[in-house]
Amino acid sequence: MAESDKKYNEYPIGGMITERGSARRYKTGDWRSRRPEVDEEKCIDCLFCWIFCPDNSVLVEDEKMKGFRYSHCKGCGICAAECPKKAITMKEEGA
Amino acid sequence: MQKLLAMNGDQAIAYAWKQIDPDVVAAYPITPQTIIVEAFSEYVADGHVTTEYVCTESEHSALSVCVGASAAGARTATATASAGLAFMWEMLYIAASMRLPIVMAVANRALSGPINIHCDHNDAMGGRDAGWVQIYGENAQEAYDNSIMAFRIAEHLNVRLPVMTCLDGFITSHSLENMSLLPDDVVKKFVGDFKPIRPLLDVSEPTSYGPFDSPEYYFEHKYQQVRAMEDAFPVIKEVQREFAEISGRSYDFIEPYRADDADYVVMAAGSTAGTLRQVVDELRAEGKKVGSLKLRLFRPFPAKEIAKILEGKKGVAVMDRAISFGASGPTFPEVRSALFDLSSKPNTVDYVYGLGGRDVGVDDIKVVFSQLMKGDSKTINYLGVRI
């Protein structure tokens, strides 16, 4: 059952959070209206996107750009604007 | 054995708190509440209580300290009036929505401006939607008794809401009256130990208080408050019953006086309820079928109980010591709404009275009864104002 399917009396009173690290389960990626997509052919792994991303949503492994953490990316488009190779494009969600 | 003493309402509240010995009291002095925190601070200084007494720089801070202390797991109390209560506005809602059982005495005083230090109920009535239980006391005895019951009501696990114990500024707060005090051990036993829920200071079970609540959850938390208010009714009943056992003094949400066979009933909260009974006796001696109704509990609003008493009456006057500009006094629409579904509805009118401490005596209330009985009242009347 999703958290938001629960009834009023299944939550702690007063909006208390009674478990540790619950923010990890709070997926803010669903605020996004446009999603970044990377063209791996054009990407040179300069990691400007990783540096500029305000929400730590660019995935990097072994100093290589490995896509986006869509569960938290809010689609601000800063990565696409900063990419020196125009390797990142913003696509309409649901399009 | 109960001690009989002369005390004013403020001293009576301070004395109740002394017997209860809350963990934290945070307050800022304001007339006509000042005697409460002044007297209590002496109990602290003289070592009669172990309370952590915090002198804050404002009422906004006073209730903020109470919110923090209560969330941390402390039994907490404060007192205020008028502009001080207005300055607590933001925190009133936070205390209630965080479900913190803070007890606050309010010595009801008019709001500025023009500045006025005397009694009316506009301060507390303005806070009616904040989610606090509100109990209005008639005299020093009730101020004392309500203060003791308030902790039990607030802290009950089915309620967990802050409670305001109101008393009329100056009329009750500053007038010496004969009153009975319960022995310390009886009060302590009645109130019992405070059992906090998920206190902030419990590091074994860390808890976050007051986080952001998104649209998917906020309404459910508001509904929790709705239910807590509903669940407060039986809790208050039970606390009143147990209090009667230890004190011999019985209280209820509303208290009718000679209302059973009355055709006309006037109702009021606070000290005016006493004057009402005097007038009822005088008019009864003249053969008039009149009665009165004292409103003690304003939140939650005892609509069913009021309807039961007032069903079939010819006329009801609701006396409001407060005004919502552009509408009426605040209790009138609630009483009239409570009567709306009755098959036999009384003619129900509003008397706004006593604003800014305008004295209301026996003769003034006789005017209310007389107009009510003749059918001369308007829907909303302004008692004694020079129009």
Side-chain angles (χ1 to χ4, degrees), chain B residues 6-281:
Chain B
M7 274 193 169
N8 65 40
D10 278 0
Q11 288 169 331
I13 289 170
Y15 199 86
W17 292 3
K18 174 187 168 228
Q19 293 180 308
I20 293 161
D21 195 358
D23 300 309
V24 174
V25 168
Y28 188 86
I30 182 167
T31 299
Q33 165 280 121
T34 306
I35 302 169
I36 302 174
V37 293
E38 207 171 59
F40 190 76
S41 68
E42 284 175 22
Y43 295 137
V44 175
D46 294 344
H48 293 300
V49 290
T50 58
T51 306
E52 182 74 30
Y53 185 84
V54 189
C55 294
T56 54
E57 78 279 22
S58 75
E59 288 85 355
H60 190 275
S61 303
L63 193 51
S64 296
V65 167
C66 290
V67 163
S70 185
R75 176 177 272 160
T76 306
T78 185
T80 194
S82 183
L85 183 62
F87 198 20
M88 287 178 172
W89 227 244
E90 180 189 5
M91 252 49 70
L92 285 182
Y93 283 77
I94 290 170
S97 61
M98 281 168 61
R99 307 293 298 279
L100 301 172
I102 297 162
V103 172
M104 174 155 71
V106 176
N108 294 116
R109 162 185 157 182
L111 285 159
S112 301
I115 197 164
N116 177 299
I117 58 170
H118 297 282
C119 177
D120 71 37
H121 296 161
N122 253 112
D123 51 0
M125 289 281 168
R128 67 172 189 187
D129 299 339
W132 288 58
V133 172
Q134 283 195 13
I135 304 168
Y136 287 78
E138 180 190 322
N139 48 35
Q141 185 70 63
E142 285 193 30
Y144 172 79
D145 293 347
N146 290 344
S147 299
I148 295 166
M149 288 189 279
F151 287 89
R152 284 281 305 273
I153 296 163
E155 293 168 9
H156 194 285
L157 291 174
N158 292 355
V159 180
R160 286 282 154 164
L161 291 173
V163 174
M164 248 181 238
T165 57
C166 301
L167 69 163
D168 282 358
F170 288 106
I171 301 166
T172 307
S173 67
H174 284 60
S175 302
L176 281 180
E177 294 177 46
N178 271 344
M179 55 168 295
S180 308
L181 297 171
L182 295 165
D184 291 356
D185 58 329
V186 171
V187 173
K188 279 215 162 49
K189 190 167 164 236
F190 179 80
V191 174
D193 292 329
F194 177 45
K195 294 177 194 70
I197 301 175
R198 303 285 304 211
L200 271 176
L201 292 182
D202 180 0
V203 291
S204 66
E205 280 190 319
T207 303
S208 298
Y209 273 82
F212 180 77
D213 206 12
S214 61
E216 292 90 342
Y217 308 104
Y218 181 87
F219 206 166
E220 277 67 28
H221 287 126
K222 294 299 108 177
Y223 189 68
Q224 289 178 344
Q225 289 177 254
V226 170
R227 290 298 290 263
M229 273 288 182
E230 284 172 15
D231 293 344
F233 283 122
V235 170
I236 297 168
K237 268 270 192 265
E238 174 59 19
V239 170
Q240 287 168 162
R241 192 191 62 73
E242 286 181 39
F243 189 78
E245 281 175 15
I246 62 160
S247 67
R249 294 186 289 276
S250 297
Y251 293 109
D252 211 340
F253 310 153
I254 51 169
E255 291 176 5
Y257 182 71
R258 303 182 82 166
D260 276 355
D261 65 336
D263 289 330
Y264 299 94
V265 174
V266 177
M267 70 183 279
S271 62
T272 304
T275 323
L276 274 178
R277 290 196 302 276
Q278 170 70 24
V279 174
V280 166
D281 284 346

Side-chain angles (χ1 to χ4, degrees), chain B residues 358-379:
Chain B
R358 176 70 56 90
D359 199 23
V360 177
V362 166
D363 290 342
D364 304 291
I365 289 170
K366 280 185 177 166
V367 170
V368 176
F369 272 107
S370 156
Q371 290 179 345
L372 185 66
M373 288 188 286
K374 282 190 208 145
D376 281 352
S377 311
K378 295 176 190 164
T379 304

